[in-house]
CSV table of all heavy atoms in Angstrom, one decimal:
chain,number,residue,atom,x,y,z
A,152,MET,N,143.9,26.1,-57.5
A,152,MET,CA,143.7,27.5,-57.3
A,152,MET,C,144.9,28.3,-57.8
A,152,MET,O,145.8,28.7,-57.1
A,152,MET,CB,143.5,27.8,-55.8
A,152,MET,CG,143.0,29.2,-55.5
A,152,MET,SD,141.4,29.5,-56.1
A,152,MET,CE,140.4,28.3,-55.2
A,153,LEU,N,144.9,28.5,-59.1
A,153,LEU,CA,145.9,29.2,-59.8
A,153,LEU,C,145.3,30.2,-60.8
A,153,LEU,O,144.3,30.0,-61.4
A,153,LEU,CB,146.8,28.3,-60.6
A,153,LEU,CG,147.7,27.3,-59.8
A,153,LEU,CD1,148.4,26.4,-60.7
A,153,LEU,CD2,148.7,28.1,-58.9
A,154,GLY,N,146.0,31.4,-61.0
A,154,GLY,CA,145.7,32.3,-62.0
A,154,GLY,C,144.2,32.7,-62.1
A,154,GLY,O,143.6,33.2,-61.1
A,155,PRO,N,143.6,32.4,-63.3
A,155,PRO,CA,142.2,32.8,-63.4
A,155,PRO,C,141.3,32.1,-62.4
A,155,PRO,O,140.2,32.7,-62.1
A,155,PRO,CB,141.9,32.4,-64.9
A,155,PRO,CG,143.2,32.3,-65.6
A,155,PRO,CD,144.2,31.9,-64.5
A,156,THR,N,141.6,30.9,-61.9
A,156,THR,CA,140.8,30.3,-61.0
A,156,THR,C,140.7,31.1,-59.7
A,156,THR,O,139.7,31.1,-59.0
A,156,THR,CB,141.3,28.9,-60.7
A,156,THR,OG1,141.5,28.2,-61.9
A,156,THR,CG2,140.4,28.1,-59.8
A,157,LYS,N,141.8,31.7,-59.3
A,157,LYS,CA,141.8,32.6,-58.1
A,157,LYS,C,140.8,33.7,-58.3
A,157,LYS,O,140.0,34.0,-57.4
A,157,LYS,CB,143.2,33.2,-57.9
A,157,LYS,CG,144.3,32.3,-57.4
A,157,LYS,CD,145.5,33.1,-57.0
A,157,LYS,CE,146.6,32.2,-56.4
A,157,LYS,NZ,147.8,33.0,-56.0
A,158,GLU,N,140.8,34.4,-59.5
A,158,GLU,CA,139.9,35.4,-59.7
A,158,GLU,C,138.4,34.9,-59.7
A,158,GLU,O,137.6,35.6,-59.1
A,158,GLU,CB,140.1,36.1,-61.1
A,158,GLU,CG,139.2,37.2,-61.5
A,158,GLU,CD,139.2,37.5,-62.9
A,158,GLU,OE1,139.9,36.8,-63.7
A,158,GLU,OE2,138.4,38.4,-63.3
A,159,GLN,N,138.2,33.8,-60.3
A,159,GLN,CA,136.8,33.3,-60.2
A,159,GLN,C,136.3,33.0,-58.8
A,159,GLN,O,135.2,33.3,-58.4
A,159,GLN,CB,136.7,32.0,-61.1
A,159,GLN,CG,137.0,32.2,-62.6
A,159,GLN,CD,137.3,30.9,-63.3
A,159,GLN,OE1,137.2,29.8,-62.8
A,159,GLN,NE2,137.8,31.1,-64.6
A,160,ALA,N,137.2,32.4,-58.0
A,160,ALA,CA,136.9,32.1,-56.6
A,160,ALA,C,136.6,33.4,-55.8
A,160,ALA,O,135.7,33.4,-55.0
A,160,ALA,CB,138.0,31.3,-56.0
A,161,MET,N,137.4,34.4,-56.1
A,161,MET,CA,137.2,35.7,-55.4
A,161,MET,C,135.9,36.3,-55.8
A,161,MET,O,135.2,36.8,-55.0
A,161,MET,CB,138.4,36.6,-55.8
A,161,MET,CG,139.7,36.2,-55.2
A,161,MET,SD,141.2,37.0,-55.9
A,161,MET,CE,140.8,38.7,-55.6
A,162,ARG,N,135.6,36.3,-57.1
A,162,ARG,CA,134.3,36.8,-57.6
A,162,ARG,C,133.1,36.1,-56.9
A,162,ARG,O,132.2,36.8,-56.5
A,162,ARG,CB,134.2,36.7,-59.1
A,162,ARG,CG,135.0,37.7,-59.9
A,162,ARG,CD,134.7,37.6,-61.4
A,162,ARG,NE,135.5,38.5,-62.1
A,162,ARG,CZ,135.3,39.8,-62.3
A,162,ARG,NH1,134.2,40.4,-61.7
A,162,ARG,NH2,136.1,40.6,-63.0
A,163,HIS,N,133.2,34.8,-56.9
A,163,HIS,CA,132.1,34.0,-56.2
A,163,HIS,C,132.0,34.4,-54.8
A,163,HIS,O,130.8,34.6,-54.3
A,163,HIS,CB,132.4,32.5,-56.4
A,163,HIS,CG,131.4,31.6,-55.8
A,163,HIS,ND1,130.1,31.5,-56.5
A,163,HIS,CD2,131.3,30.9,-54.7
A,163,HIS,CE1,129.4,30.6,-55.8
A,163,HIS,NE2,130.1,30.3,-54.7
A,164,LEU,N,133.1,34.5,-54.1
A,164,LEU,CA,133.0,34.9,-52.7
A,164,LEU,C,132.4,36.3,-52.5
A,164,LEU,O,131.5,36.5,-51.6
A,164,LEU,CB,134.4,34.9,-52.0
A,164,LEU,CG,134.5,35.4,-50.6
A,164,LEU,CD1,133.8,34.4,-49.6
A,164,LEU,CD2,135.9,35.5,-50.2
A,165,LEU,N,132.8,37.3,-53.3
A,165,LEU,CA,132.3,38.6,-53.2
A,165,LEU,C,130.8,38.7,-53.6
A,165,LEU,O,130.1,39.5,-52.9
A,165,LEU,CB,133.1,39.6,-54.1
A,165,LEU,CG,134.6,39.8,-53.7
A,165,LEU,CD1,135.3,40.6,-54.7
A,165,LEU,CD2,134.6,40.5,-52.3
A,166,GLU,N,130.4,37.9,-54.5
A,166,GLU,CA,129.0,37.9,-54.8
A,166,GLU,C,128.2,37.4,-53.6
A,166,GLU,O,127.1,37.9,-53.3
A,166,GLU,CB,128.7,37.0,-56.0
A,166,GLU,CG,129.2,37.5,-57.3
A,166,GLU,CD,129.1,36.5,-58.5
A,166,GLU,OE1,128.7,35.4,-58.2
A,166,GLU,OE2,129.6,36.9,-59.6
A,167,GLY,N,128.7,36.4,-52.9
A,167,GLY,CA,128.0,35.9,-51.7
A,167,GLY,C,128.0,36.9,-50.6
A,167,GLY,O,127.0,37.0,-49.8
A,168,LEU,N,129.0,37.7,-50.5
A,168,LEU,CA,129.1,38.7,-49.5
A,168,LEU,C,128.4,40.0,-49.9
A,168,LEU,O,128.3,40.9,-49.0
A,168,LEU,CB,130.6,39.0,-49.1
A,168,LEU,CG,131.4,37.8,-48.5
A,168,LEU,CD1,132.8,38.2,-48.3
A,168,LEU,CD2,130.8,37.5,-47.1
A,169,ARG,N,128.1,40.1,-51.1
A,169,ARG,CA,127.5,41.3,-51.7
A,169,ARG,C,128.4,42.5,-51.5
A,169,ARG,O,128.0,43.6,-51.1
A,169,ARG,CB,126.1,41.6,-51.1
A,169,ARG,CG,125.1,40.5,-51.4
A,169,ARG,CD,123.7,40.8,-50.9
A,169,ARG,NE,122.8,39.8,-51.2
A,169,ARG,CZ,121.5,39.8,-50.8
A,169,ARG,NH1,121.0,40.8,-50.1
A,169,ARG,NH2,120.7,38.8,-51.2
A,170,VAL,N,129.7,42.3,-51.9
A,170,VAL,CA,130.7,43.4,-51.8
A,170,VAL,C,131.2,43.6,-53.2
A,170,VAL,O,131.6,42.6,-53.9
A,170,VAL,CB,131.8,43.0,-50.8
A,170,VAL,CG1,132.9,44.1,-50.9
A,170,VAL,CG2,131.3,42.8,-49.4
A,171,SER,N,131.4,44.8,-53.6
A,171,SER,CA,131.9,45.1,-54.9
A,171,SER,C,133.4,44.9,-54.9
A,171,SER,O,134.1,45.4,-54.0
A,171,SER,CB,131.6,46.6,-55.3
A,171,SER,OG,132.3,47.0,-56.4
A,172,PRO,N,134.0,44.3,-56.0
A,172,PRO,CA,135.4,44.2,-56.1
A,172,PRO,C,136.1,45.6,-56.0
A,172,PRO,O,137.3,45.7,-55.6
A,172,PRO,CB,135.6,43.6,-57.4
A,172,PRO,CG,134.4,42.8,-57.7
A,172,PRO,CD,133.3,43.7,-57.1
A,173,ALA,N,135.5,46.6,-56.5
A,173,ALA,CA,136.1,47.9,-56.5
A,173,ALA,C,136.4,48.4,-55.1
A,173,ALA,O,137.2,49.3,-54.9
A,173,ALA,CB,135.1,48.9,-57.2
A,174,ARG,N,135.7,47.9,-54.1
A,174,ARG,CA,135.9,48.3,-52.7
A,174,ARG,C,137.1,47.5,-52.0
A,174,ARG,O,137.4,47.7,-50.9
A,174,ARG,CB,134.7,48.1,-51.9
A,174,ARG,CG,133.5,49.0,-52.3
A,174,ARG,CD,132.3,48.7,-51.5
A,174,ARG,NE,132.5,48.8,-50.0
A,174,ARG,CZ,131.7,48.2,-49.1
A,174,ARG,NH1,130.6,47.6,-49.5
A,174,ARG,NH2,132.0,48.3,-47.8
A,175,CYS,N,137.6,46.5,-52.7
A,175,CYS,CA,138.5,45.6,-52.1
A,175,CYS,C,140.0,45.8,-52.5
A,175,CYS,O,140.3,46.6,-53.4
A,175,CYS,CB,138.1,44.1,-52.5
A,175,CYS,SG,136.4,43.8,-52.0
A,176,VAL,N,140.8,45.0,-51.9
A,176,VAL,CA,142.3,45.1,-52.1
A,176,VAL,C,142.9,43.7,-52.2
A,176,VAL,O,142.4,42.8,-51.5
A,176,VAL,CB,143.0,46.0,-51.0
A,176,VAL,CG1,142.8,45.4,-49.7
A,176,VAL,CG2,144.5,46.2,-51.3
A,177,SER,N,143.9,43.6,-53.0
A,177,SER,CA,144.6,42.3,-53.1
A,177,SER,C,146.1,42.5,-53.1
A,177,SER,O,146.6,43.5,-53.5
A,177,SER,CB,144.1,41.5,-54.4
A,177,SER,OG,144.4,42.3,-55.6
A,178,TYR,N,146.8,41.4,-52.6
A,178,TYR,CA,148.2,41.4,-52.5
A,178,TYR,C,148.8,40.2,-53.2
A,178,TYR,O,148.3,39.1,-53.0
A,178,TYR,CB,148.6,41.3,-51.0
A,178,TYR,CG,148.2,42.5,-50.1
A,178,TYR,CD1,146.9,42.8,-49.8
A,178,TYR,CD2,149.2,43.4,-49.7
A,178,TYR,CE1,146.6,43.9,-49.0
A,178,TYR,CE2,148.9,44.5,-48.9
A,178,TYR,CZ,147.6,44.7,-48.5
A,178,TYR,OH,147.2,45.8,-47.8
A,179,GLY,N,149.8,40.4,-54.0
A,179,GLY,CA,150.4,39.3,-54.7
A,179,GLY,C,151.9,39.6,-55.0
A,179,GLY,O,152.3,40.7,-55.0
A,180,ASP,N,152.6,38.5,-55.4
A,180,ASP,CA,154.0,38.6,-55.7
A,180,ASP,C,154.5,38.2,-57.0
A,180,ASP,O,155.6,38.5,-57.4
A,180,ASP,CB,154.8,37.8,-54.6
A,180,ASP,CG,154.7,36.3,-54.9
A,180,ASP,OD1,153.7,35.7,-54.7
A,180,ASP,OD2,155.7,35.7,-55.4
A,181,HIS,N,153.6,37.5,-57.8
A,181,HIS,CA,154.1,36.9,-59.0
A,181,HIS,C,153.1,37.2,-60.2
A,181,HIS,O,151.9,37.5,-59.9
A,181,HIS,CB,154.1,35.3,-58.9
A,181,HIS,CG,154.7,34.6,-60.0
A,181,HIS,ND1,153.9,34.1,-61.0
A,181,HIS,CD2,156.0,34.3,-60.3
A,181,HIS,CE1,154.7,33.5,-61.9
A,181,HIS,NE2,155.9,33.6,-61.5
A,182,GLU,N,153.6,37.3,-61.4
A,182,GLU,CA,152.8,37.6,-62.5
A,182,GLU,C,151.5,36.8,-62.7
A,182,GLU,O,150.5,37.2,-63.2
A,182,GLU,CB,153.6,37.6,-63.8
A,182,GLU,CG,154.1,36.3,-64.2
A,182,GLU,CD,154.9,36.3,-65.5
A,182,GLU,OE1,154.2,36.4,-66.6
A,182,GLU,OE2,156.1,36.4,-65.5
A,183,SER,N,151.6,35.6,-62.2
A,183,SER,CA,150.4,34.7,-62.2
A,183,SER,C,149.3,35.3,-61.3
A,183,SER,O,148.1,34.8,-61.4
A,183,SER,CB,150.7,33.3,-61.8
A,183,SER,OG,151.2,33.2,-60.5
A,184,ASP,N,149.6,36.2,-60.4
A,184,ASP,CA,148.6,36.9,-59.6
A,184,ASP,C,147.9,38.0,-60.3
A,184,ASP,O,147.0,38.7,-59.7
A,184,ASP,CB,149.2,37.4,-58.3
A,184,ASP,CG,149.8,36.2,-57.4
A,184,ASP,OD1,149.1,35.2,-57.3
A,184,ASP,OD2,150.8,36.4,-56.8
A,185,LEU,N,148.3,38.3,-61.5
A,185,LEU,CA,147.7,39.5,-62.2
A,185,LEU,C,146.1,39.4,-62.2
A,185,LEU,O,145.5,40.5,-62.0
A,185,LEU,CB,148.2,39.6,-63.6
A,185,LEU,CG,149.5,40.5,-63.8
A,185,LEU,CD1,150.0,40.3,-65.2
A,185,LEU,CD2,149.2,41.9,-63.4
A,186,PRO,N,145.5,38.3,-62.5
A,186,PRO,CA,144.0,38.3,-62.5
A,186,PRO,C,143.4,38.8,-61.2
A,186,PRO,O,142.4,39.5,-61.2
A,186,PRO,CB,143.7,36.9,-62.9
A,186,PRO,CG,144.8,36.4,-63.6
A,186,PRO,CD,146.0,37.0,-63.0
A,187,MET,N,144.0,38.3,-60.1
A,187,MET,CA,143.4,38.7,-58.8
A,187,MET,C,143.7,40.2,-58.5
A,187,MET,O,142.9,40.9,-57.9
A,187,MET,CB,143.9,37.8,-57.7
A,187,MET,CG,145.3,37.8,-57.3
A,187,MET,SD,145.7,36.7,-55.9
A,187,MET,CE,145.1,37.7,-54.5
A,188,LEU,N,144.9,40.6,-58.9
A,188,LEU,CA,145.3,42.0,-58.6
A,188,LEU,C,144.5,43.0,-59.4
A,188,LEU,O,144.1,44.1,-59.0
A,188,LEU,CB,146.8,42.2,-58.9
A,188,LEU,CG,147.7,41.4,-57.9
A,188,LEU,CD1,149.2,41.5,-58.4
A,188,LEU,CD2,147.6,42.0,-56.5
A,189,ARG,N,144.2,42.6,-60.6
A,189,ARG,CA,143.4,43.5,-61.5
A,189,ARG,C,141.9,43.5,-61.1
A,189,ARG,O,141.2,44.4,-61.5
A,189,ARG,CB,143.5,43.0,-63.0
A,189,ARG,CG,144.9,43.4,-63.6
A,189,ARG,CD,145.0,42.8,-65.0
A,189,ARG,NE,146.1,43.5,-65.7
A,189,ARG,CZ,146.8,42.9,-66.7
A,189,ARG,NH1,146.6,41.7,-67.0
A,189,ARG,NH2,147.8,43.6,-67.3
A,190,LEU,N,141.4,42.5,-60.4
A,190,LEU,CA,140.0,42.4,-60.1
A,190,LEU,C,139.6,43.5,-59.1
A,190,LEU,O,138.5,44.0,-59.1
A,190,LEU,CB,139.7,41.0,-59.5
A,190,LEU,CG,138.3,40.8,-58.9
A,190,LEU,CD1,137.2,41.0,-60.0
A,190,LEU,CD2,138.2,39.4,-58.2
Side-chain angles (χ1 to χ4, degrees):
M152 194 62 64
L153 292 175
T156 308
K157 286 186 175 184
E158 179 196 3
Q159 295 164 11
M161 290 163 61
R162 285 187 182 278
H163 182 73
L164 177 67
L165 291 175
E166 288 171 2
L168 295 175
R169 297 185 180 180
V170 176
S171 168
R174 295 176 53 195
C175 301
V176 59
S177 54
Y178 293 74
D180 74 288
H181 188 267
E182 63 179 281
S183 62
D184 294 323
L185 270 173
M187 66 179 284
L188 294 170
R189 284 175 164 152
L190 173 63

